[in-house]
Every structure is written in structure tokens, then in C-alpha cells.
Amino acid sequence: MGHSKKHRGMKSSTGWDVPPPEALRAPAGFDLAAFDRHSTPGWSHGRGKAEKLVAHHAGELSDLQERLFAEGRSGGSRSVLLVLQGMDTAGKGGIVRHVVGLVDPQGVAHRSFGVPTPEEARHHYLWRVRRSLPRPGYIGVFDRSHYEDVLVVRVDELVPKKEWEKRYDEINRFEERLVESGTSIVKVALLVSPEEQKKRLLERLDRPDKYWKYNPGDVDTREKWPAYQEAYQAVLDRTNTEAAPWHAVPADRKWFARLAVSELLLDALRRLDLGWPPADFDVDAERERLRAT
Ligand code: ADP
């Protein structure tokens, strides 16, 4: 890599061939059917080095998270929202445990979105989402999200087509306003192959310690795989905006997905250029007062 790519060169010391946000961003015209879910875009060093790098990121991630939290406590308005979407077994929970788990849980606002409760169902679909947004200073994590309202809802026709059709634009406007108000959104589609999903589901049946994760309904969802892929393709086509772009993360290798998401989260935090809030008191005077006690 030449000197003209000095900054990239700096990043390449961490092992990536291409900066991860660039390697993982879903390009315009992204073709989901052609996407290799076993690949490791931008990364050619295998598992061991990837795991070391994730561990290495822990320090910087927690430092930046603490700065963000401090800023929020000092009147700042910024926050980060990580949106995780993926089919069953794609590894959303593992990302939360292994990547988000690297930072202080007190600064994380985690929310998973399941079938709407009766109360949620009485409201607009974005109602429960708005109530779950990270407050200033927090890293919000959505395990599933408002995208379910154009995924499962579309596939299972839970509302008429003319209803869900309107939602793509509505979601774009919603996210754009969110970004304007100071939330950096990191959208991640964790893309697992149908073969790998089958393996992971079968493993759940082979292991008593995994039964609790098995849901017979997952097989019904799996049987609708092509309809889900079509719905995911529509999401990637219609909600891949400048304000809140999608990242396509191959999820057949868990170690890669974890490395990828740790990099994307780190990138979002780095771009905030976070400092430490200045003292809103007279440091010298306070030191004197304490000395006198
Ligand atoms: P998981 O199966 O991921 O462990 P849950 O059991 O809490 O998590 O719920 C996930 C299920 O909820 C998924 O099948 C998902 O499709 C469904 N779901 C999420 N949002 C909605 C929605 N808006 N409408 C209908 N179903 C939804």
C-alpha cells in the first residue's frame, strides 16, 4: 500500500486489507442472493488474529463509551444506536455478548423486539421504538428493530401491502430525524446462509444446554426463507440511506461477524471525536477547599 494511502496504511497495521466500514457497507444495487455468507470481506488473516483484534479493541471501545457517557451527563445530546437484524441463529445475541459486552453495561441501553405486546400493538409500530431509543450518552442496541415491521410483517402479511409499503419511506424519515438530533445509527444485517442456519438449529436439538434457544416456530420461519430474502432485499434496496446506511455482515463465521461489528461500533464512536467535558467548577478552588478539610 503506497504512501498516498497513509491513513489506510495506518489501519492496515490492524490487519484489514480495506477499512472495515468500506468493506462492509452494502453498496447501491447490493445483490443479497449473490452475497457469500461465508466470506470475510476486507479481512484475510483468519480467526486467531481476528479474535486478538477484538480483544485489543476492548480498551478503546470502553474509553470512547465512557467519553460519550460523560458528554451525555454534561448536557450533550449525542448517542449511538446499533441496529442488529438477521434471521434466527444469525448470531445477534453473540454480538451483544461478545462485542457490546466489551463496554460498561451501565452505558448500554439494550432492547430486543419480539412479537408486539397487546399494548404495543395498539400503537403505531414506531411507538415502541421511540420509547426504546438511547438517551444522550448511551449506546443503544436493538436486537431486531422496526425493520421487523417490513420483514415478518410483510412475509406473513400481518398488515395489508398498502400499509407496509408506506413504511420504508417512513422509516427513512424517522432515522434521518434521529440522526439530525444527534444519534449515530449503525445498521447491521447479519447474513447467515441457510445451510449454516440448519446446522445451528440442529445443534440446538443435540444439546440440552441449547434447548432453551430452540423455538419450533423457527422452522416455520425457515420454510419461508425465499420470502424473507425478498423482504431483506427490499430493506437493503429501500432503506440504505446516506444518513443511516446498511452494513452487510457475513455471519457464517461467528468470529468474523464479531470482529466486523466491533469495528463498525468503534468507527461510529471514533467519528464522534469525543473529548472529556471540562470542569464546571473551579478546579484550584476545589483543591484548596479539600486540602483545608
Ligand atoms: P428470538 O426468537 O430472537 O429469541 P423473541 O422470541 O423475543 O426473540 O421474538 C422474536 C420474534 O418476534 C421473531 O420471530 C420476530 O419475527 C417476531 N417479531 C418481532 N417484531 C415483530 C413485529 N413487529 N410483528 C410481528 N412479529 C414480530
Side-chain angles (χ1 to χ4, degrees), residues 88 92 113-116 128 144 148-149 152-153 158 215 218:
D88 295 311
K92 302 185 290 294
F113 291 94
V115 177
R128 64 177 184 164
R144 303 184 192 269
E148 291 293 326
D149 293 283
V152 63
V153 168
L158 300 179
N215 171 2
D218 294 349

Side-chain angles (χ1 to χ4, degrees), residues 65-79 104-108 135-138 274-280:
Q65 182 270 331
E66 192 179 350
R67 288 168 190 253
L68 178 65
F69 194 79
E71 182 185 275
R73 276 296 170 87
S74 312
S77 57
R78 298 190 295 178
S79 60
D104 184 349
Q106 295 179 95
V108 173
R135 283 177 289 146
Y138 281 78
L274 291 152
W276 291 105
D280 57 2

Side-chain angles (χ1 to χ4, degrees), residues 150 154 164-172 234 238-239:
V150 284
R154 171 176 168 154
W164 57 253
E165 268 291 345
K166 293 188 294 198
R167 293 183 174 178
Y168 299 94
D169 289 338
E170 197 171 24
I171 287 172
N172 288 341
R238 298 173 67 176
T239 64

